[in-house]
Amino acid sequence: MNHRSPPATLNEDVLFEVFRQIGRSIRNSEEGELCDTETTALARCARVCKAFQEPALRVLWEYLPSILPLLRLLAPHFHKLSNGRIGYGASVPHHTYVLSEIPDDVQWARFSRYASYIRVLHEKYSPRKCKHQAQESPDDSDDEGAYAPGRIILPSVWFILSRKAEGKPLLPALRELDWTLHSLDYLELFRVLAGPSLLGLSTRLHDLYIPSREEERIIMPLVVRTLAYSSPNLQKLEVCDEDSLRGVFALSKLRALEIDAPLDTDALQDAKLDTLQHLESLTLSICRFSDDATSRRKPTPLRHLKSLDVRYWDWPSGSQSMVPFSAPTLSSLRVHHSGISRTAAYQSLSTELAECFPTVVSVNLEFSATSTPYEDEHVLPPWDFSRALQPFTALSSVRHFSITNDLDHLPRTSQDLRRIVDAWSYLSTLTVACPSHSKPWLNIGELANLARCATQLRELRLDHLCISQDDLYIIRRGQWITGSLRPTDSVKVLRVDRLVFDRGLGTGDLDLSKLARFVLALYPRIDTRRSRSASPAPHCEWNRALVVIDATRCQQRA
């Protein structure tokens, strides 16, 4: 008996995988724009024969960077108004699209067929992108490139399509939706596009389309309720307003929540996020604290949270709690603070974080400046990193630590890194970045200090390594050979994004062979392949040094 699959089914599956390899580059292309070569190839394959048509169309329409190709199937009823360019803000042109008549049955059947293929839709446009280039864009251009105007699809289009769909989702297979909104269309839009298969939704309001505060308070909770009803399996939600919090608790399957809007701690604690039994990832920004300067509400427990990314824009005026949540199983914590602070204030925050997240494994701390600092940095007392981070060092579970300091007024000492590594004897990965400092501080001596105390460190990632005149002298003369260096066998990856030279020095002054021998003396088991792949610039001086390290290692073995 022949148990083989029917030839047509087998052929279609094979063809689908072949065409899918062609279609991968469409979604991976820069900025989500269609890759013309691959798109054209798939369109031609769909026209070869009936056997090619269905699998090629499935791949071709699976991902769309714009809704316009689908809506243009309803032409000539769907069209752009010839004199309908409206502007929001100064000198910002917009194309306005309308649906002048209800599609007939033939048009609707064709539209529905192609709509059923779409699984990922990213509708992004940037009117501000062409704000100063609008004069160079032809008036009748429909191009969506660098000089493209903004687009407005009138709400009446979604209203007509929702009536034609008779309550069914317009895109029945849609799993991921990313949409840039303006204040005219979001409620009717989600009623049309959201369906049971939708798993991820990301929305943002362009800053040229700022609705009133009252409008947000009314509409956004309705949007969330619509999603809870039409997309009960939604797992990922990214929104740009705080009013959505009032309805998020209804999304029972939600796993990841990102709110790109300034929030206050009271609103977060009143949002009933503890009812989301599947919530694992949370990203938010906090800029306001309880009105009662003496209040310290008990943190809301999020028992299944694994990852928390929180940004603080301000400090409380009193003893208010700064951490609105607790998570006994949290493994990844990222804290970004904008503004100037005192050591004691950050130590209080560190204490709260350590108490609320006792099992955290990965800690990422970032410090950056705001355009309007809260205090005069010249009158602040000296900043003490070791004291500010001391509560974190009591957590024995930490294995990965990253610190990014973009504030020149927060001084660092050569002992800060060593104290961090000494405090966490089981630390596996250490990342240090100081992106815009005018005075680099990670030098050759830091490598030697870390080698002395790094007992369990596996990966060391530095955004810079400063080479001074003294370092060059030591490396050239080989004085480190007779010095009291203490190598470590644990470090396998040593990443340096860039080498920074003191004034008057350059790459021509550096003897890479001597630097290679110095690094090998400290870190004899360094994996140059992994260290090189971690470096962002393929031709940077550090990558050249890694090549010399490989050659030096081969010579030593010979």
Side-chain angles (χ1 to χ4, degrees):
M1 182 179 294
N2 188 357
H3 295 285
R4 291 184 301 175
S5 301
T9 303
L10 179 62
N11 288 341
E12 183 172 324
D13 292 341
V14 172
L15 288 172
F16 177 75
E17 292 300 325
V18 172
F19 295 141
R20 200 169 192 177
Q21 296 302 316
I22 301 175
R24 287 185 191 279
S25 57
I26 296 179
R27 185 171 180 179
N28 294 334
S29 59
E30 187 176 359
E31 296 184 358
E33 296 177 357
L34 283 176
C35 184
D36 293 337
T37 303
E38 284 74 12
T39 302
T40 302
L42 286 171
R44 288 175 176 173
C45 288
R47 292 192 291 266
V48 169
C49 61
K50 289 185 178 180
F52 281 22
Q53 186 180 64
E54 189 67 18
L57 287 177
R58 285 169 58 193
V59 176
L60 182 61
W61 288 83
E62 183 179 28
Y63 165 75
L64 284 186
S66 171
I67 192 66
L68 286 184
L70 180 65
L71 294 178
R72 284 178 179 140
L73 295 174
L74 301 176
H77 304 318
F78 179 81
H79 61 277
K80 179 180 63 178
L81 296 180
S82 57
N83 297 313
R85 306 176 88 180
I86 17 182
Y88 286 76
S91 305
V92 182
H94 287 74
H95 286 330
T96 304
Y97 292 89
V98 298
L99 186 59
S100 56
E101 294 184 21
I102 299 176
D104 58 34
D105 292 340
V106 176
Q107 277 186 318
W108 185 251
R110 182 173 179 237
F111 179 89
S112 300
R113 178 191 177 190
Y114 287 94
S116 65
Y117 297 135
I118 301 174
R119 296 171 64 87
V120 179
L121 175 59
H122 290 179
E123 175 64 29
K124 301 178 182 179
Y125 60 88
S126 180
R128 185 178 293 278
K129 190 175 183 180
C130 63
K131 185 172 182 178
H132 304 293
Q133 302 167 339
Q135 300 300 326
E136 304 179 34
S137 179
D139 289 341
D140 58 349
S141 173
D142 205 19
D143 178 41
E144 298 175 15
Y147 303 109
R151 293 196 299 268
I152 293 180
I153 302 174
L154 293 184
S156 60
V157 174
W158 310 120
F159 179 81
I160 294 174
L161 293 179
S162 65
R163 296 302 178 269
K164 190 67 177 178
E166 298 179 347
K168 298 179 182 178
L170 195 66
L171 309 178
L174 187 66
R175 297 173 63 87
E176 179 182 330
L177 176 62
D178 191 334
W179 199 284
T180 301
L181 303 166
H182 58 77
S183 60
L184 299 176
D185 66 359
Y186 25 69
L187 186 56
E188 192 66 41
L189 171 71
F190 290 135
R191 284 176 178 166
V192 176
L193 297 182
S197 62
L198 188 64
L199 299 180
L201 172 63
S202 176
T203 66
R204 71 199 56 81
L205 281 171
H206 196 278
D207 55 4
L208 295 179
Y209 308 126
I210 302 178
S212 66
R213 190 72 186 90
E214 184 178 2
E215 184 182 6
E216 281 190 338
R217 288 174 179 170
I218 295 174
I219 293 182
M220 294 314 298
L222 292 177
V223 169
V224 177
R225 291 172 194 166
T226 299
L227 290 173
Y229 174 76
S230 58
S231 304
N233 298 315
L234 192 70
Q235 298 180 4
K236 180 181 179 181
L237 177 63
E238 298 178 12
V239 292
C240 55
D241 67 284
E242 60 179 316
D243 293 293
S244 300
L245 272 175
R246 289 188 288 163
V248 164
F249 67 92
L251 302 171
S252 59
K253 300 292 183 66
L254 202 63
R255 293 183 177 272
L257 174 62
E258 179 176 346
I259 305 175
D260 186 15
L263 305 171
D264 63 76
T265 53
D266 285 343
L268 286 169
Q269 290 186 312
D270 294 337
K272 303 178 183 179
L273 295 184
D274 54 332
T275 62
L276 301 177
Q277 298 299 318
H278 302 280
L279 187 64
E280 297 179 350
S281 176
L282 181 60
T283 302
L284 49 88
S285 299
I286 297 178
C287 71
R288 298 184 300 275
F289 302 91
S290 176
D291 295 333
D292 185 357
T294 62
S295 81
R296 291 187 67 88
R297 297 178 61 178
K298 186 177 180 181
T300 301
L302 303 179
R303 304 192 181 281
H304 301 281
L305 195 67
K306 304 295 183 184
S307 174
L308 175 62
D309 187 337
V310 57
R311 179 169 189 148
Y312 288 95
W313 291 95
D314 199 355
W315 292 97
S317 57
S319 60
Q320 303 100 311
S321 174
M322 297 185 65
V323 184
F325 307 117
S326 65
T329 60
L330 191 78
S331 60
S332 176
L333 173 64
R334 180 174 179 262
V335 181
H336 186 175
H337 204 292
S338 301
I340 299 172
S341 171
R342 301 174 183 271
T343 301
Y346 203 90
Q347 186 181 28
S348 299
L349 174 61
S350 299
T351 301
E352 284 193 56
L353 292 171
E355 291 174 352
C356 293
F357 313 115
T359 61
V360 64
V361 175
S362 176
V363 177
N364 186 339
L365 304 181
E366 298 184 16
F367 302 85
S368 66
T370 58
S371 56
T372 55
Y374 300 106
E375 300 182 64
D376 185 357
E377 62 185 68
H378 300 292
V379 301
L380 288 174
W383 175 268
D384 186 345
F385 263 108
S386 301
R387 181 182 162 206
L389 304 183
Q390 188 274 332
F392 277 121
T393 59
L395 300 177
S396 59
S397 59
V398 176
R399 296 293 181 271
H400 310 281
F401 181 74
S402 173
I403 183 169
T404 302
N405 180 18
D406 208 12
L407 298 176
D408 285 320
H409 64 274
L410 296 187
R412 296 125 339 245
T413 67
S414 59
Q415 302 299 320
D416 284 333
L417 290 184
R418 185 168 182 176
R419 289 171 181 169
I420 290 173
V421 177
D422 283 338
W424 285 313
S425 58
Y426 294 100
L427 194 66
S428 175
T429 303
L430 175 62
T431 303
V432 182
C434 307
S436 63
H437 282 309
S438 57
K439 297 180 180 180
W441 63 289
L442 296 171
N443 52 37
I444 292 294
E446 296 300 328
L447 293 181
N449 286 334
L450 291 173
R452 291 190 184 100
C453 59
T455 56
Q456 299 293 328
L457 200 63
R458 298 289 184 270
E459 297 186 19
L460 177 59
R461 304 171 183 174
L462 310 177
D463 78 322
H464 74 271
L465 183 63
C466 182
I467 306 296
S468 66
Q469 189 69 52
D470 293 339
D471 294 333
L472 286 177
Y473 181 79
I474 293 175
I475 292 174
R476 285 175 181 172
R477 302 285 301 210
Q479 293 183 2
W480 50 269
I481 298 177
T482 58
S484 58
L485 293 183
R486 187 180 304 170
T488 176
D489 292 334
S490 64
V491 175
K492 303 296 191 303
V493 176
L494 177 58
R495 165 186 172 175
V496 178
D497 290 348
R498 67 187 190 279
L499 295 180
V500 181
F501 297 89
D502 276 354
R503 184 175 301 176
L505 301 178
T507 56
D509 300 311
L510 181 62
D511 189 335
L512 290 179
S513 63
K514 297 288 183 62
L515 177 62
R517 294 174 62 191
F518 176 78
V519 172
L520 279 176
L522 291 175
Y523 306 102
R525 299 188 64 183
I526 180 176
D527 186 333
T528 56
R529 183 186 61 82
R530 292 174 60 193
S531 299
R532 185 162 45 245
S533 64
S535 299
H539 303 294
C540 68
E541 291 84 358
W542 179 250
N543 279 346
R544 291 169 50 205
L546 293 175
V547 174
V548 179
I549 288 175
D550 279 334
T552 303
R553 184 178 282 166
C554 291
Q555 292 177 0
Q556 292 176 351
R557 291 174 180 174

